[in-house]
Each structure stands twice: as C-alpha cells, then as structure tokens.
Amino acid sequence: MARLQLEKIKRHPWWTALGVFALLIALVLIFWDWNWFKPLVERQVEARTGRKFEITGNLDVDRFGWTPLVQIGGFRFGNATWSKDPVMAKADCLQLAIDLKSLIFHREVRIPEIRLRKPDLRLEYGPNRVGNWTFGEPSTGTTHYGALWIDDGHVRFIDAPNKTDIAVAVRSDMRDPGSKAPPILAEGGGQWEARKFRMHGRADAPLDARDATRPYHIDVHATAANTKAHARGTLLDPIRLRGFDLKFALSGPNLAELYPLLGMAIPDSPPYAFDGRLTREITSTKRTGTKHTGNVWHYDDFTGKLGDSDLSGDASFETGRARPILVANLVSKRLDFDDLSGFVGKAPDAGAGETATPAQGRQDAVEKASGRLLPNHPYELDKLRAMDADVRWKAHRINAPKLPIDDMDAHLLLDAGLLLMEPLNFGVAGGDIRSTIRMDARESPIRTRMDVQVRNVQLGKLVPSAEIMKDAIGRIGGDIHLAGTGNSIASMLGSADGDAQLGMGKGQISNLLMEFAGIDIAEALKFLVQGDKKIPIRCAFGDFAVKDGVAQTRALAFDTSDTLVIGEGHISMKDETLDLRLRPRPKDRSLFSFRAPLLVGGTFTDPSFRPDMKRVGLRAAIALTLGNIAPPAALLATLELGPGEDVQCGGKYAK
C-alpha cells in the first residue's frame, strides 16, 4: 500500500507539492501569532528614539490588502531620564493603516489613518529648557500622515521653573462621522505662570499641522487668572508657529497682570478689552560672539477700550534680547484723563459712571480718604528694569471735567531702567504745557528731573465751568525746572529743588472777581446787583525758588487797573500745604473796603481763603511798589503781552 502511494506521488509531483504547500498555509493560519513580531517592533522604536517602548497588548493585523490595518492593543513609550514620570506617552489602543504600494514601489512611508483610544501624553521642559519631545537622531526620510481619530485623550504640559502645569482633555469632533480628518476639540486647565488657567477650543486635525503649506484653522478661548484671550483664524506651519493670520482678542481688569503672564511691564490700568491681528516674526542677532534667536510678536490694527477711553494702534513685543522690548504707536480719539492714573501711581477714578474694578474702587476710596493729592504709591523698580520700551501715544481729545486739558502727545522711551518722556505735551486751555521728564531707576531711589514749559494758556479757559471766568482774557506762560529723588511722585516732588516762574501779560478779567479778591464788600454787592463789568489786567507773575520740596516766593503780583495784589509765602509739596499772604491794594475808593491781606492756607485737597482779621480796618498796612518786585527778565519772553507790549508796568504800580 505504501509502495502504491509512493508511485502515485512520483506520477503527480506538482499536485503533491501544492497539497503540501496548502497544508503548510493551513498550519500557519492555525498557529500564526503576530505577537512574534512585538520584540522586533519594540527594538526598532527604541533604536530610533533612544527611549524604551513596550507593547502591552496584542499585536495584530485586522485588514489585509495593499493598505493593511495594524492594531496595537496598548503601548507605553518611555520618558526622558530626568523626568519624574517614566512614561511620556501611552494608549489603550493604536491602529495604523500602512500604504504598502508607496513603501514598496516609491520607498515612501505613508500612514493614511491613525486611531487612538485613551491616549495619554505628557509634555514637559527639563534642564536647560530642553523638552522631553526631543529625542533620537533626526530622521532622513519623510513620513506622510493622513487622518487621526482620538477617543478620550489627555495631554499634560509642565514647565516647573515657570510654575506652569496644564492638563487638557482632547477628542475628535465626531459630529461629522464621514469626515476623513475630523477636527479636534480640547478643554482643560491648570496653572500658567502660577495663575489659574482654563481653555477650550477647536482646531483642525492635529496631523494637518505638519503640512507647512496648508492653512491650519484654530478657534481657542483661554483664561489666565483674570486675563482672557480669544484666538481665531489660520496658521501656516503651526508646529514652528510661523505664518500667523489670527484675530486675537485680549481683555482683563488690569494691564499690569500681563507682567507675570507675558513679561510685559505695564503700569496699573483700568479694565481693558482689545481685538487685533496677531503675527510672529523670527529674528536672529549676535551678542558676544553667540547667535541668538528671538521672536517679535506683532499686534497690529487693534482697537478697543481702556477704562472709559478708546485705544487703537499697532504694538510689538520682542523677546530673545537681553531685555524684551515693547514698541507701540497708540491713538485715542477720546481719552478719559483719569485712565492715565496708573502711570503716576494712582488708582483710576471709581465714581459714578467710571470704569474700575472693585479692588481699584477700594484703593481710590483709601486715597481720597487720606487727604493727599500727590500719588504716594511707589514704582516697582524690578518692572522698570525688566524690559525696554518705545511707545508713542496721541490723544486727540481728553475728557477731564475738572481740568481744562484738550489733547495729549506723549513719547516714552525706557532703556535698562532709564525712562525718558520727551515729549509729554498737553494742550491746556487753548495753549500748551510741554514737558521733558527723565527718571533714572537704575539705582534706588529714583532720580528724576522735570522741565516744563507753559505757553499761551488762556485765562478764560482755565476754569471752564465758572461763569465768572467766562469773559476773562489773557495768556499765561512760564517755565518750571525741578529735580528730586524718590520712588513715588509724592517723594520725588517732596524732595525737589529748582525754580518755577509763571506770568501773564495784558488781558481782561471780571471786576467782580477782583472785588472778591480784595474783600471789597460794597463794590462786590454793587456788581452783584447792577451787573459785572470787565477791567483790564496789566500783568501778573509768580517767581518761586524750590528747595527740598518747598516753593518759596521770590516775587508774586497781580495788577489790574482796579486792584493790585502782592503776595508772599510758600507752598510745600512735601506736606501738601499752602501758606500764602495776598495783600490787595484797591486803586479806587470804597466805603466798606477792608483792604486786609487774604490768607491762603489749608492743603492741596482742601485749600482755605480767609481775610487776615488782625488787619481788618487798616487802611494801608504796607506800601509796596512794583519796582520792588519787578518780574524776572527771563519770564517776559514767555508772555503774550498784547499789542501795547508795555513791559515796564512796574513803574505804573508805583503811581
């Protein structure tokens, strides 16, 4: 029988070989296990990345053909050696579709489909700010990816030195199940720069971000502490954050809160909200023989509100330098003056109709209750030294109900703690107050110098709400030069030395106002009953020597055809007190004229005006002539003296 079977095999060798091959195939199918290849796959990944890779579940091929679907039941990918957590990435399931035609015929690796179930990714910075995502040798080939589906994923980002730890849940947006590359949805939070952080948003499929030529759409909302941001638009090459085309909205209660978040040292401000276009530029510089790469973040064509003011313009913030630098060109069509309070160390006005936070409201109440006018809040020296700045701010119209301020033009330069404001110009009462301020914060206390020019300020507009000043005519000019030390405005002025000179040439003023100043009751009653009349001003001037925060009069006079007022005394910026004696000398006769000195006292916030009762009834206490208190010659050049240009008004006082 065996011999018979052997003879049949010899007569049909091909059929016999085919049968044996079929038997072997059947045995392979029965006993084949793709897990035999697990060690090979693990070794290949470890060799290319330098990290431990472990397949924790089964390795299988679920779909055959030119695009087989490889399934890994679970994996764990090792972390950098310096990390506290040994696992950088893991998942319960990974499915990969591999394009065999591209691999065999074109030597290209194409993975048209990736599916992840419960992936967990940990990203973190280590020593020298090297991320744990940096590993292995750079690949010489290119891997092309297609669609990615994520089911119940989690990503954690840690930057321990900067106190940042954020956990985000991610998943594919399956509202369009037919989508070949569904967008990703993300939501999570934690800490950013030690501040509470929350975010949620939507973006194109993550693998689309690898295509640097294809726009990548995002729409993300984020909140860090009290600061809110909304970025929406497209990116090109988002992996390296190039090719921005984003609309970026930013809002919060105080611009100063951007310092710990972004490193921008901006003074305290009222609540703000801006929206503009965000772009990024990469810079390359050489310092001390070393090449440095930095970023310039541009925020262009932004518009918005700062307190009760509108604000628009362009700004940029450059990093990668010895100190970051903020460059901005700002414009306000209508600027609420108290919104500038933070620049001088005061809280914004929190009264009715004003925009301020509850904390700023409490600070404003404390400042008002203190009875002090000059800001005493110290500047933060570390902020003044932390960054550089070049900021120009123009305001076409200023809202200041209690002050006759029209507009503003300010240019701020900050370099390593040396701050220069040149110019700091305000349009005031139809004229100008032009200032140059230099603050040297490289050492403590801050050394400050202030040079101010007052030009063509109109007397009638100084108190626009006063009906009695409505028809006053005259132009005021002068110069102020002060230098002091201190870390707040109050301490700077309280220690200041210098001089101040202000004067006015010919003009016109209400006779009623002058009669009140001269304490002439009969004349004042007459004008109250019969109506006011206008009298000419011959000239007025004040010349003060400032020493250790106290301005002492060198000359002080106000002369009209009706009354001559001569003053003496001092103004203390250190104590914020007034101590002036004004001696009116009416040039007409009045039955009930007291002709007693008027005492100006009290504080900057609560001044007092009262007659010197000890002198009431004296007809002429002291006879002074203008020749004794002639105006400083340097002051005359600043005055608008009128058509007569009669600068020798001192001789007429003596008459």
Side-chain angles (χ1 to χ4, degrees):
M1 188 69 175
R3 182 178 295 177
L4 181 61
Q5 294 294 331
L6 183 59
E7 289 179 357
K8 289 182 179 180
I9 291 173
K10 288 180 179 180
R11 286 196 301 268
H12 306 285
W14 292 107
W15 286 104
T16 302
L18 182 61
V20 171
F21 181 72
L23 177 61
L24 290 174
I25 292 295
L27 291 174
V28 167
L29 292 176
I30 294 172
F31 295 105
W32 180 268
D33 190 350
W34 289 99
N35 288 315
W36 296 338
F37 293 91
K38 284 170 58 174
L40 176 62
V41 174
E42 291 171 343
R43 286 195 299 270
Q44 287 294 319
V45 174
E46 291 175 3
R48 293 176 180 272
T49 64
R51 303 279 183 85
K52 183 178 180 180
F53 180 70
E54 178 184 5
I55 298 177
T56 58
N58 290 324
L59 178 63
D60 201 358
V61 176
D62 288 346
R63 185 176 66 200
F64 292 95
W66 285 113
T67 312
L69 184 65
V70 179
Q71 178 171 296
I72 298 175
F75 70 87
R76 296 163 63 92
F77 182 71
N79 210 339
T81 55
W82 42 261
S83 176
K84 296 179 180 179
D85 192 324
V87 177
M88 176 183 174
K90 62 182 180 180
D92 284 0
C93 181
L94 168 63
Q95 291 180 334
L96 299 171
I98 302 175
D99 187 343
L100 294 181
K101 285 186 177 180
S102 297
L103 183 62
I104 295 172
F105 299 112
H106 303 288
R107 305 293 183 182
E108 292 181 351
V109 179
R110 292 185 176 273
I111 302 177
E113 180 182 330
I114 302 176
R115 295 179 182 268
L116 284 164
R117 186 172 69 244
K118 291 189 175 181
D120 197 335
L121 177 63
R122 179 187 177 101
L123 303 174
E124 57 185 321
Y125 277 115
N128 300 318
R129 294 197 64 76
V130 175
N132 65 338
W133 53 88
T134 302
F135 47 79
E137 295 295 330
S139 175
T140 56
T142 301
T143 302
H144 301 275
Y145 297 93
L148 170 66
W149 282 267
I150 298 176
D151 178 19
D152 193 18
H154 294 85
V155 178
R156 185 178 179 188
F157 173 69
I158 301 171
D159 185 359
N162 290 324
K163 299 179 181 179
T164 297
D165 189 341
I166 300 170
V168 179
V170 295
R171 61 183 176 86
S172 295
D173 186 357
M174 300 308 295
R175 286 174 291 186
D176 183 8
S179 174
K180 294 182 178 181
I184 199 80
L185 302 177
E187 182 175 3
Q191 281 194 331
W192 180 283
E193 302 281 356
R195 264 72 176 174
K196 186 178 179 182
F197 177 84
R198 295 293 302 174
M199 67 83 62
H200 69 276
R202 185 176 187 271
D204 285 347
L207 293 180
D208 290 347
R210 297 177 59 90
D211 188 348
T213 63
R214 177 180 177 182
Y216 184 79
H217 297 82
I218 67 169
D219 190 342
V220 178
H221 295 260
T223 302
N226 298 310
T227 302
K228 297 180 180 180
H230 180 201
R232 68 272 189 209
T234 60
L235 305 175
L236 288 177
D237 194 6
I239 298 296
R240 289 176 289 180
L241 294 177
R242 298 174 186 264
F244 276 73
D245 187 11
L246 290 178
K247 290 288 288 181
F248 188 75
L250 191 67
S251 62
N254 192 338
L255 283 169
E257 293 187 3
L258 296 180
Y259 180 59
L261 295 174
L262 304 176
M264 292 185 181
I266 303 176
D268 287 309
S269 78
Y272 66 93
F274 306 129
D275 197 0
R277 182 171 179 265
L278 182 67
T279 59
R280 175 178 179 253
E281 174 189 354
I282 298 178
T283 61
S284 181
T285 58
K286 284 188 176 181
R287 297 194 307 270
T288 63
T290 305
K291 186 176 180 181
H292 294 265
T293 300
N295 298 303
V296 183
W297 298 89
H298 294 276
Y299 195 39
D300 296 325
D301 300 324
F302 74 86
T303 58
K305 297 280 288 183
L306 178 67
D308 297 304
S309 308
D310 67 89
L311 188 64
S312 61
D314 303 311
S316 66
F317 189 65
E318 182 177 357
T319 62
R321 308 167 73 253
R323 293 172 306 279
I325 182 171
L326 173 67
V327 178
N329 189 7
L330 311 176
V331 176
S332 292
K333 295 180 180 178
R334 180 186 179 278
L335 174 65
D336 200 82
F337 190 66
D338 77 276
D339 290 336
L340 299 174
S341 299
F343 289 87
V344 295
K346 285 181 68 70
D349 191 353
E354 299 287 351
T355 301
T357 65
Q360 291 167 343
R362 292 189 294 270
Q363 183 183 348
D364 181 48
V366 170
E367 290 176 356
K368 289 178 178 177
S370 70
R372 306 279 293 189
L373 178 66
L374 299 178
N376 199 34
H377 185 73
Y379 288 100
E380 299 179 63
L381 298 183
D382 58 333
K383 286 188 176 183
L384 289 173
R385 301 165 182 167
M387 78 172 202
D388 298 338
D390 183 351
V391 178
R392 190 72 180 254
W393 190 352
K394 289 187 177 182
H396 297 298
R397 177 170 166 261
I398 292 182
N399 178 42
K402 298 180 181 179
L403 298 170
I405 301 177
D406 304 321
D407 51 43
M408 181 189 76
D409 183 4
H411 187 196
L412 181 148
L413 293 170
L414 179 61
D415 183 11
L418 181 61
L419 184 147
L420 180 66
M421 297 195 73
E422 185 179 20
L424 175 59
N425 293 348
F426 288 98
V428 177
D432 296 289
I433 296 182
R434 309 166 188 169
S435 305
T436 298
I437 299 175
R438 184 181 187 273
M439 296 174 58
D440 190 347
R442 292 173 293 187
E443 298 179 0
S444 183
I446 300 172
R447 297 192 302 275
T448 301
R449 179 169 181 83
M450 176 175 64
D451 298 296
V452 182
Q453 293 181 329
V454 181
R455 297 291 183 268
N456 297 324
V457 174
Q458 297 181 29
L459 178 63
K461 295 183 178 181
L462 277 177
V463 188
S465 61
E467 190 68 24
I468 204 170
M469 294 287 289
K470 187 176 179 181
D471 296 322
I473 298 173
R475 294 182 180 273
I476 299 170
D479 295 290
I480 301 171
H481 305 283
L482 298 175
T485 59
N487 292 343
S488 69
I489 298 295
S491 57
M492 291 172 190
L493 293 176
S495 64
D497 297 330
D499 55 75
Q501 299 172 342
L502 292 172
M504 186 180 77
K506 290 184 177 181
Q508 175 183 290
I509 199 168
S510 162
N511 195 11
L512 180 57
L513 180 64
M514 288 308 300
E515 296 300 340
F516 275 131
I519 319 298
D520 194 328
I521 295 176
E523 291 292 329
L525 288 175
K526 180 181 69 175
F527 287 118
L528 283 174
V529 174
Q530 299 179 2
D532 194 8
K533 70 176 183 179
K534 309 301 180 294
I535 60 173
I537 301 171
R538 297 206 48 250
C539 64
F541 53 85
D543 183 10
F544 294 85
V546 183
K547 181 67 175 177
D548 197 24
V550 178
Q552 184 71 43
T553 58
R554 288 190 291 229
L556 180 62
F558 189 94
D559 183 39
T560 74
S561 60
D562 185 75
T563 304
L564 165 65
V565 178
I566 300 170
E568 62 181 0
H570 66 267
I571 301 171
S572 175
M573 293 180 286
K574 180 180 296 184
D575 301 326
E576 297 192 15
T577 58
L578 303 165
D579 187 6
L580 295 172
R581 174 177 291 193
L582 305 179
R583 295 189 178 94
R585 297 185 58 205
K587 298 181 180 181
D588 58 356
R589 293 185 178 184
S590 175
L591 179 62
F592 301 109
S593 177
F594 293 131
R595 300 189 183 181
L598 181 66
L599 302 182
V600 181
T603 66
F604 289 0
T605 58
D606 187 22
S608 64
F609 303 87
R610 58 184 178 84
D612 186 353
M613 301 307 295
K614 295 179 181 179
R615 308 299 302 275
V616 173
L618 295 181
R619 297 296 296 174
I622 301 175
L624 296 177
T625 65
L626 187 62
N628 296 330
I629 54 167
L635 185 62
L636 297 177
T638 71
L639 304 182
E640 284 288 332
L641 296 176
E645 206 165 322
D646 184 7
V647 298
Q648 298 298 326
C649 61
K652 295 185 179 181
Y653 275 128
K655 293 180 180 179

